[in-house]
Amino acid sequence: MHFGVILVCLLITVVAQPTMAAKFTWREWWKNTIVYQIYPRSFQDSDGDGVGDLKGITSRLKYFNQIGVDTIWLSPVYTSPMADFGYDVADFKDIDPIFGTIADFDDLIDTAHNLGLKLMMDFVPNHSSEEHEWFLQSKENNDTNNPYRDYYVWKDPKIGCNDPPEKCVPNNWVSVFGGSVWEWEPKRKQFYLHQFLKEQPDLNYNNPEVHREMKEVIKFWFEKGVDGLRVDAIRHMYEDQDMEDEPINPEYTPVPGERPQYDSLIHTKTADLPELHDVIKDWRGIFEDFSSEPNYRFMVTESYDTHRALLPYYGTPNQPEADYPFNFGLTELTNESLSGKEIHNKVQDWMKDLPGGKWPNWVIGNHDTARITERLGIKYARAMNILNLLLPGTPTTYYGEEIAMEGIWVPYNETQDPYAINNPNHWEEYTRDPERSPMQWDDTPHAGFSTTNGKTWLPVNDNYLTGVNVADQITNQKSSLALFKTLANLRKTESSFQTNHLKYAIVNEQIFSFFRLSGDSTLLSFLVIVNTGDSPSTDDYQTALMNDDFVVPGFGVVEVSSGMDRNGDSVELNKISVASGEALVVKVQVSFGNKASVTMPCIIVIAIMAMMGVILQDFFPLQI
Ligand code: NOJ
Ligand code: MG
């Protein structure tokens, strides 16, 4: 067969069709996965001290096989005084005794790999704990022979200030957790900078030694077999060396007598400084050094920012950085703002500005954000799982979302989260305790999380006794967990969910809906609809989807409904009715329309070629 003909046919086909069959290479395993975030203190306690640990996690790994999750990410388990529950690391290369030992970690990773699971760790490069050996040495003195002298960001009191030196902070910068970023160190007689708690001094990335040390940390965990890293608080890595004040945020209204809050300033000097991209590129080199078939090392960066500020963390085709920065758009939805249009805005923000060749991702909750059940209400827990798992790209799910866990209420005097404790005027707004309550496994005491005779570190939500637990839901065909499993399976088996093709269908105040076209020649596609309104809505999706490329039939079949009560129902596409809070996934067998039919002969030629042994993947490994 003539090679030129094949090439022309392929080109026409690619132009006319938005997608081709997706087949992920070994470097792309993370595109075909669900990332499940484990908050280790709250997942499973094995030794009865009321706090989760590594052995506990290992004992639960088979659960992930059962529910169709194949990547887990652990929030920090490193040695830590736990001022910020592990995000204050005192030894980047060891495990905190509360979680177990390095041997427990080795066992965890081996067991995970044997079960076909990937394991990601948290990497916290911006700061260490004040109890890290580097900081203990650094704060001793500023002598040139102190090798740790410049490991942190030190600064003299402000010149010209007439107050005692410890009151003369170098500038107006404010920490994320409130109050000045500067803390006086009496021994060294200087201030050190902390963008989070004072117990979390920022590392100094203007010191090459710090780069070297942190690269060793990455290597250490890769040598242990870790499959990827979630990089914490990346936008805070560098501060402007001129150390000038940051501009006041005119939209912020200060509360009299309250310590300065992060939002009171515009962070031109302390966030998203361009030089941090060089560091990520440098790290990417290490990830590459440790990537050989079949083990690609995956990187996701974390910062809370606008989508425009986040997208640069993807890097460029020539200089890749993270595989993706977390997209927190959907976590910003609130009950007040929820509408079909608002969801559309959040989805479109990411999709329309996504750099060429890059892969989208979604998050609906994590350990820093109120659970979806709190923000939107329990009514939307299932619909949001449908969005998270069926929008194009990789979803991250936070433990308990699959069983629609709800937050807990903890009074101020029992609050654990330092962010809340340090800001008593805002504590209910800031506290992250509610979303960190223990995982609900069954209806035995402490929901099967712990065998302690005392208290668990945070209380368990009582609703574990009324069906919000894994054991009850795993056998219930209509449960949230059954829905989650069905969605996980769809992602794996249907090519429509393996490309980044997305076409919006009907979008209005009430409805957000989109269409995922088949990624292969079967054209078996899916329509996903969410009703955010207070009443049912009946709409004509057939007309909304019809175009030159494809003919949309009159009927479709509900593949899965959020209530798991309409699965298998036939629906007329020109009048699909969706209840308030409901979401539907409708299977639609489209066929070629006018434009696509021009390319039909080419597709037949290509199919014949494929049968004759010409592997299309060699020409176009993955069209996204
Ligand atoms: C982001 C983490 O998600 C959060 O929990 C932590 O408090 C800060 N980074 C500081 O490390
Ligand atoms: Mg324990």
Side-chain angles (χ1 to χ4, degrees):
M1 183 61 77
H2 199 268
F3 191 74
V5 174
I6 302 168
L7 216 56
V8 169
C9 282
L10 275 169
L11 280 176
I12 296 171
T13 307
V14 168
V15 170
Q17 275 188 272
T19 55
M20 283 180 72
K23 184 165 180 300
F24 296 102
T25 66
W26 64 273
R27 294 178 64 87
E28 296 172 311
W29 61 260
W30 50 275
K31 294 183 175 177
N32 196 25
T33 197
I34 297 170
V35 176
Y36 185 106
Q37 181 187 356
I38 292 178
Y39 195 67
R41 295 180 72 83
S42 301
F43 198 63
Q44 179 66 56
D45 174 20
S46 74
D47 58 6
D49 64 356
V51 181
D53 45 56
L54 294 183
K55 279 190 172 145
I57 297 170
T58 307
S59 73
R60 292 290 187 183
L61 288 178
K62 288 201 177 111
Y63 173 60
F64 299 111
N65 292 153
Q66 269 180 298
I67 66 169
V69 160
D70 39 27
T71 302
I72 54 174
W73 147 41
L74 307 187
S75 281
V77 287
Y78 313 111
T79 315
S80 167
M82 302 287 163
D84 191 19
F85 295 114
Y87 283 97
D88 49 322
V89 181
D91 185 345
F92 290 102
K93 297 182 187 163
D94 205 352
I95 301 290
D96 193 89
I98 200 128
F99 295 123
T101 62
I102 279 279
D104 295 336
F105 179 80
D106 290 338
D107 188 39
L108 167 64
I109 196 161
D110 284 353
T111 314
H113 285 163
N114 287 337
L115 292 170
L117 303 171
K118 303 276 188 192
L119 187 129
M120 290 170 64
M121 299 282 274
D122 225 295
F123 175 51
V124 190
N126 177 67
H127 44 268
S128 74
S129 159
E130 61 174 350
E131 292 185 22
H132 196 293
E133 187 56 31
W134 302 337
F135 189 71
L136 296 177
Q137 300 284 341
S138 192
K139 76 176 188 184
E140 280 300 311
N141 58 59
N142 192 13
D143 298 349
T144 43
N145 62 0
N146 178 353
Y148 298 98
R149 162 186 189 220
D150 290 329
Y151 268 47
Y152 295 85
V153 183
W154 292 100
K155 191 82 184 137
D156 288 330
K158 190 174 190 140
I159 298 168
C161 167
N162 295 324
D163 291 328
E166 65 272 20
K167 298 260 182 263
C168 294
V169 290
N171 57 32
N172 73 343
W173 295 353
V174 172
S175 109
V176 175
F177 288 152
S180 174
V181 296
W182 298 107
E183 183 70 17
W184 179 250
E185 173 44 59
K187 274 197 194 153
R188 184 161 157 155
K189 299 200 170 31
Q190 279 190 309
F191 289 96
Y192 67 86
L193 177 134
H194 58 92
Q195 290 224 33
F196 292 89
L197 299 175
K198 69 176 169 39
E199 293 85 354
Q200 294 168 298
D202 272 45
L203 286 157
N204 174 15
Y205 280 87
N206 291 308
N207 179 354
E209 277 302 291
V210 171
H211 287 267
R212 189 188 56 74
E213 299 268 20
M214 294 313 277
K215 289 203 274 194
E216 290 304 314
V217 172
I218 298 176
K219 291 180 195 163
F220 178 86
W221 293 102
F222 281 165
E223 274 158 14
K224 290 225 156 277
V226 164
D227 299 290
L229 297 176
R230 172 266 194 197
V231 184
D232 183 71
I234 193 72
R235 72 195 285 254
H236 302 280
M237 266 189 111
Y238 278 95
E239 296 75 32
D240 199 323
Q241 301 242 46
D242 71 13
M243 299 268 170
E244 284 175 6
D245 280 0
E246 288 193 322
I248 308 288
N249 177 2
E251 283 166 24
Y252 185 82
T253 320
V255 178
E258 168 183 86
R259 64 203 227 134
Q261 298 291 303
Y262 193 63
D263 289 347
S264 64
L265 300 179
I266 300 176
H267 302 288
T268 51
K269 306 270 174 189
T270 56
D272 290 321
L273 267 61
E275 47 269 51
L276 64 82
H277 291 281
D278 296 331
V279 183
I280 306 177
K281 285 170 197 153
D282 196 25
W283 290 341
R284 167 56 72 193
I286 306 174
F287 279 58
E288 282 302 324
D289 293 346
F290 280 86
S291 291
S292 58
E293 194 166 355
N295 296 320
Y296 176 78
R297 314 287 172 153
F298 164 55
M299 187 200 302
V300 42
T301 51
E302 183 248 23
S303 44
Y304 292 97
D305 222 328
T306 61
H307 79 279
R308 288 243 159 71
L310 290 174
L311 293 167
Y313 290 88
Y314 274 111
T316 61
N318 294 337
Q319 283 278 276
E321 295 182 29
D323 291 297
Y324 54 73
F326 271 139
N327 166 13
F328 292 127
L330 295 178
T331 69
E332 291 157 10
L333 295 170
T334 63
N335 209 336
E336 294 75 55
S337 69
L338 188 67
S339 71
K341 278 193 184 147
E342 185 59 15
I343 300 179
H344 174 253
N345 289 343
K346 295 291 181 196
V347 172
Q348 199 183 11
D349 275 350
W350 201 265
M351 295 304 290
K352 77 174 178 342
D353 293 330
L354 188 70
K358 299 295 180 182
W359 189 251
N361 79 97
W362 310 96
V363 179
I364 58 170
N366 63 26
H367 64 294
D368 293 330
T369 312
R371 285 188 179 275
I372 199 81
T373 41
E374 306 305 302
R375 259 177 304 118
L376 302 185
I378 185 76
K379 177 175 171 185
Y380 290 107
R382 291 172 177 232
M384 291 307 289
N385 275 341
I386 290 182
L387 288 186
N388 196 24
L389 269 63
L390 299 188
L391 280 166
T394 301
T396 302
T397 189
Y398 183 54
Y399 80 95
E401 271 168 8
E402 71 278 23
I403 55 169
M405 261 174 68
E406 294 176 60
I408 44 159
W409 190 78
V410 186
Y412 184 75
N413 61 1
E414 287 173 31
T415 290
Q416 302 282 333
D417 184 9
Y419 189 19
I421 296 169
N422 289 351
N423 294 287
N425 291 329
H426 295 268
W427 76 273
E428 278 194 281
E429 182 191 334
Y430 290 173
T431 180
R432 299 171 295 178
D433 286 353
E435 60 265 24
R436 298 176 176 181
S437 68
M439 178 67 180
Q440 296 168 203
W441 293 103
D442 55 39
D443 61 5
T444 63
H446 308 300
F449 161 71
S450 174
T451 53
T452 180
N453 294 324
K455 286 184 170 181
T456 52
W457 84 282
L458 279 173
V460 180
N461 191 315
D462 284 343
N463 66 9
Y464 77 95
L465 292 166
T466 50
V468 187
N469 69 65
V470 170
D472 279 4
Q473 294 195 15
I474 208 112
T475 52
N476 177 347
Q477 300 300 313
K478 292 196 172 157
S479 66
S480 289
L481 191 55
L483 169 67
F484 186 95
K485 281 173 65 175
T486 308
L487 298 170
N489 188 46
L490 268 183
R491 287 180 56 82
K492 276 275 183 298
T493 52
E494 292 296 341
S495 64
S496 299
F497 298 113
Q498 295 167 3
T499 72
N500 72 358
H501 170 267
L502 172 74
K503 177 176 163 45
Y504 302 108
I506 293 173
V507 173
N508 57 37
E509 276 306 308
Q510 220 174 324
I511 296 291
F512 173 64
S513 63
F514 59 92
F515 189 62
R516 303 293 312 271
L517 183 68
S518 164
D520 59 32
S521 57
T522 65
L523 298 189
L524 189 64
S525 305
F526 292 85
L527 169 65
V528 181
I529 311 167
V530 180
N531 181 356
T532 65
D534 294 331
S535 54
S537 185
T538 305
D539 300 276
D540 176 0
Y541 293 89
Q542 188 183 25
T543 307
L545 292 175
M546 197 72 87
N547 67 20
D548 278 355
D549 289 335
F550 299 104
V551 176
V552 180
F555 288 88
V557 174
V558 176
E559 178 71 20
V560 50
S561 73
S562 51
M564 295 294 277
D565 47 0
R566 293 174 66 180
N567 301 6
D569 288 3
S570 177
V571 283
E572 286 178 75
L573 293 182
N574 64 358
K575 47 176 178 192
I576 302 181
S577 190
V578 185
S580 163
E582 188 181 37
L584 286 188
V585 183
V586 181
K587 185 153 59 176
V588 183
Q589 179 63 68
V590 298
S591 49
F592 286 115
N594 294 340
K595 189 167 145 202
S597 64
V598 175
T599 61
M600 202 48 197
C602 287
I603 291 168
I604 293 168
V605 171
I606 292 164
I608 294 169
M609 294 300 299
M611 280 189 294
M612 288 168 65
V614 177
I615 312 296
L616 294 187
Q617 291 297 332
D618 291 346
F619 293 96
F620 290 90
L622 177 65
Q623 168 71 20
I624 52 169

